């Protein structure tokens, strides 16, 4: 179940593969974060899921079905996609941007607008913003509209490509908190891409740390990575060698929580694990 990458590669011309022999299971109802430096192949992997990129070899399965045989337009209408720059249509009002996919799916305008207003409420946007143009919103508001639009056809899968990368740090952290809260309610299968390890720790149930060419350095929960980094590359990426993550522990009735420098839960230590 969920999304499965089976030995996928992507080769562009003569260059080294953008992604080489990548395999991963993205579990249903959880947030999996692909984290890695720029050029490590994150966007290429994400776009294989909605067939915007076709693998050179290997397969991508959704709920055990090879997507190569599926109609790409239909596939995309059941997968929400959120981009870094929100990708909103500038000449459509907020409410019509959110209603785009339901309208394409044949939902009547009135129903599509009612649904759009519900989604605005879910993503924390006041309904009096419905008639605005995207350019009349702040960066953070635009990203919320982007998430609402991606949720509009009620997809089980959400692909998010550095969705909070372009907003300032304070708004970014607010959006991360908010994203965690709505995911706790929605339980979508989320594949989230970022180059920011703190964001990965804040949002990921599962973190996949990538080196160049989509090579997996380590897969695990945030606490797994922090407590048992696979190698120096992982420690260095996590900032453990520089003390940047500033993680500490808190004992609770449910076990040992790992908290980040702002006191946000970054994960949970399994029995027998220790912080390095
Ligand atoms: P990331 O999202 O992690 O920054 P990308 O998946 O965008 O990485 O890119 C991975 C590698 O593939 C990079 O070296 C990039 O230059 C290359 N690449 C991506 N898209 C194309 C393309 N359409 N044509 C040629 N090379 C590409
Ligand atoms: Mg990218």
């Amino acid at each position: 179940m969920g999304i499965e990458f089976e030995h996928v590669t992507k080769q562009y011309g003569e260059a080294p593969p953008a992604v080489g022999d990548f395999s991963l299971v993205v579990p249903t109802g959880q947030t999996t974060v692909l984290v890695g430096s720029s050029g490590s192949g994150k966007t290429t992997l994400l776009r294989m899921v909605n067939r915007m990129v076709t693998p050179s070899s290997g397969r991508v399965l959704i709920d055990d079905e090879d997507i190569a045989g599926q109609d790409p337009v239909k596939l995309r209408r059941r997968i929400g996609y959120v981009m870094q720059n929100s990708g909103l249509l500038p000449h459509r009002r907020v409410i019509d941007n959110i209603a785009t996919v339901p309208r394409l799916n044949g939902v009547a305008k009135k129903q599509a607008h009612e649904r759009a207003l519900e989604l605005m409420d879910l993503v924390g946007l006041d309904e009096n913003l419905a008639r605005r143009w995207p350019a009349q919103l702040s960066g953070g508001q635009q990203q919320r509209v982007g998430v609402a639009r991606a949720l509009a056809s009620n997809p089980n899968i959400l692909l998010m490509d550095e969705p909070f990368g372009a907003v300032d740090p304070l708004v970014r952290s607010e959006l991360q908190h908010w994203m965690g809260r709505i995911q706790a309610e929605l339980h979508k299968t989320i594949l989230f891409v970022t180059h920011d390890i703190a964001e990965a720790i804040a949002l990921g149930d599962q973190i996949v740390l990538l080196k160049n060419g989509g090579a997996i350095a380590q897969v695990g929960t945030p606490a797994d990575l922090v407590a048992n980094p696979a190698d120096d590359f992982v420690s260095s990426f996590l900032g453990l060698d520089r003390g940047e993550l500033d993680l500490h522990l808190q004992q609770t009735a449910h076990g040992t929580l790992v908290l980040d420098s702002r006191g946000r839960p970054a994960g949970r230590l399994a029995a027998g694990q220790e912080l390095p």
Side-chain angles (χ1 to χ4, degrees):
M1 289 297 275
I3 306 166
E4 193 168 353
F5 295 87
E6 264 187 14
H7 300 289
V8 293
T9 64
K10 182 66 189 179
Q11 182 94 44
Y12 291 107
E14 300 298 305
V19 169
D21 195 19
F22 177 91
S23 296
L24 179 75
V25 174
V26 177
T28 301
Q30 294 188 16
T31 302
T32 294
V33 180
L34 300 178
V35 60
S37 308
S38 175
S40 54
K42 307 182 296 296
T43 296
T44 301
L45 285 166
L46 197 72
R47 288 178 164 225
M48 283 181 185
V49 178
N50 62 8
R51 296 197 55 190
M52 291 169 80
V53 167
T54 307
S56 308
S57 61
R59 306 194 300 169
V60 179
L61 312 176
I62 294 180
D63 294 344
D64 296 326
E65 281 185 40
D66 188 345
I67 62 169
Q70 299 178 19
D71 176 45
V73 175
K74 284 190 189 146
L75 182 73
R76 280 172 214 154
R77 285 184 192 169
R78 59 188 184 90
I79 297 177
Y81 183 38
V82 187
M83 289 171 274
Q84 171 160 2
N85 56 7
S86 84
L88 298 179
L89 299 165
H91 55 283
R92 286 200 195 164
R93 296 183 189 276
V94 164
I95 192 161
D96 292 312
N97 260 289
I98 297 172
T100 302
V101 174
R103 294 286 287 141
L104 287 171
N105 286 340
V107 176
K109 191 164 183 173
K110 186 165 178 290
Q111 275 77 39
H113 276 190
E114 281 169 8
R115 170 89 180 125
L117 287 171
E118 283 171 24
L119 284 161
M120 287 184 68
D121 186 47
L122 175 77
V123 302
L125 289 169
D126 197 285
E127 69 175 58
N128 67 28
L129 300 175
R131 305 286 302 159
R132 290 217 191 151
W133 305 103
Q136 296 172 318
L137 301 179
S138 70
Q141 288 171 333
Q142 289 182 18
Q143 290 313 110
R144 286 175 196 254
V145 175
V147 176
R149 185 181 59 171
L151 290 171
S153 58
N154 199 24
N156 293 322
I157 296 174
L158 268 188
L159 306 176
M160 307 184 78
D161 196 349
E162 313 233 13
F164 311 141
V167 297
D168 66 66
L170 205 68
V171 173
R172 185 178 181 127
S173 137
E174 195 180 295
L175 289 171
Q176 288 165 4
H177 273 273
W178 159 76
M179 191 66 220
R181 278 203 313 278
I182 66 169
Q183 169 64 346
E185 210 175 297
L186 299 176
H187 300 293
K188 300 291 181 188
T189 303
I190 298 181
L191 191 55
F192 189 106
V193 160
T194 181
H195 61 264
D196 177 358
I197 187 66
E199 181 158 271
I201 286 176
L203 292 177
D205 296 306
Q206 168 173 255
I207 295 181
V208 183
L209 177 50
L210 299 177
K211 303 187 195 183
N212 279 342
I216 294 179
Q218 192 167 355
V219 180
T221 64
D224 285 337
L225 266 69
V226 169
N228 295 306
D231 56 24
D232 289 348
F233 175 87
V234 177
S235 297
S236 165
F237 202 96
L238 287 165
L240 294 172
D241 51 351
R242 303 180 295 279
E244 278 167 16
L245 263 184
D246 188 21
L247 295 163
H248 54 279
L249 302 179
Q250 187 180 50
Q251 305 297 332
T252 73
H254 307 291
T256 306
L257 287 180
V258 183
L259 304 178
D260 70 10
S261 57
R262 279 176 278 181
R264 297 181 308 186
R268 178 169 297 166
L269 282 194
Q273 283 186 327
E274 282 174 19
L275 276 184

